[in-house]
Amino acid sequence: LERDAALLAPGSDGLLLLPYFAGVMNPYWDDDARGALVGLRGNHGPAHIFRAILEGIAMELRLHLSEIERATASPIERVHAVGGGASSALWCQILADVLRRPIFRSQSTEASSLGAAVLGMVAVGLLRDTNDAVRAMTRLDPAAEPGPDAPRYAALCEVFAKLYPSLRQTFSDLASIAGSAAP
């Protein structure tokens, strides 16, 4: 899927995914929110859906980063990717293009375990503080820089930002109907 999705243009040929499969917290705080695949046509295949998933999650992350920057009045200059998805060149490039920031990949495939080890080293006094521990115990590799697809993603993000607000009442209506259905 990844190989085929990489051959597609940004925007998955007009397919957008709203990744609210378990409701949504920030920025909407709506337990009734649902995932949505919008723009589905007969020519879309599994690779389109796969790419739309990656793009939808990236666009959602962009909303979150914008809110964090607004709330903290501090710019976020780069993003660190961890976990299995970070090994995907396509995922890292989509993130860089959508977020308009360089993406750095952790050299550790077990970032959660590494985080626990960092805290443990500080807790037992082997390193002075978490900043020292992070510097001593973590390594990052450059993964992707925003590329020529970033402007197209900027336009797609404007469409994506309108998607949830336009579906909010529909999600509420669906939740009401589902809640009144007989078991």
Side-chain angles (χ1 to χ4, degrees):
L1 283 175
E2 182 174 351
R3 183 189 69 239
D4 292 344
L7 299 174
L8 299 171
S12 304
D13 291 331
L15 191 60
L16 276 179
L17 177 104
L18 191 61
Y20 300 159
F21 302 116
V24 62
M25 293 176 69
N26 181 38
Y28 303 115
W29 304 99
D30 183 358
D31 289 339
D32 293 337
R34 296 164 184 236
L37 194 56
V38 177
L40 188 62
R41 297 179 59 110
N43 65 319
H44 289 129
H48 292 91
I49 295 170
F50 180 75
R51 186 174 182 114
I53 290 168
L54 298 178
E55 292 171 339
I57 293 168
M59 288 185 258
E60 182 66 16
L61 287 172
R62 182 170 164 161
L63 290 176
H64 292 282
L65 289 182
S66 296
E67 285 297 310
I68 291 168
E69 286 179 323
R70 187 190 59 72
T72 63
S74 299
I76 297 170
E77 296 176 1
R78 64 188 203 172
V79 174
H80 298 182
V82 299
S87 65
S88 165
L90 175 62
W91 175 233
C92 288
Q93 190 60 58
I94 288 171
L95 285 172
D97 290 341
V98 171
L99 301 178
R100 299 170 302 177
R101 292 167 176 84
I103 305 298
F104 289 82
R105 183 182 293 131
S106 172
Q107 287 183 356
S108 172
T109 57
E110 295 296 332
S112 297
S113 299
L114 179 58
V118 162
L119 295 175
M121 294 294 275
V122 173
V124 298
L126 293 173
L127 291 167
R128 185 170 45 110
D129 60 32
T130 55
N131 288 330
D132 284 349
V134 166
R135 278 191 292 278
M137 298 173 67
T138 64
R139 301 288 176 269
L140 296 171
D141 292 323
E145 291 281 336
D149 292 333
R152 183 160 183 181
Y153 278 119
L156 286 167
C157 285
E158 290 180 27
V159 175
F160 180 85
K162 295 183 241 177
L163 191 54
Y164 168 79
S166 69
L167 292 172
R168 183 176 207 147
Q169 186 60 51
T170 300
F171 293 146
S172 178
D173 293 345
L174 287 171
S176 294
I177 293 167
S180 64

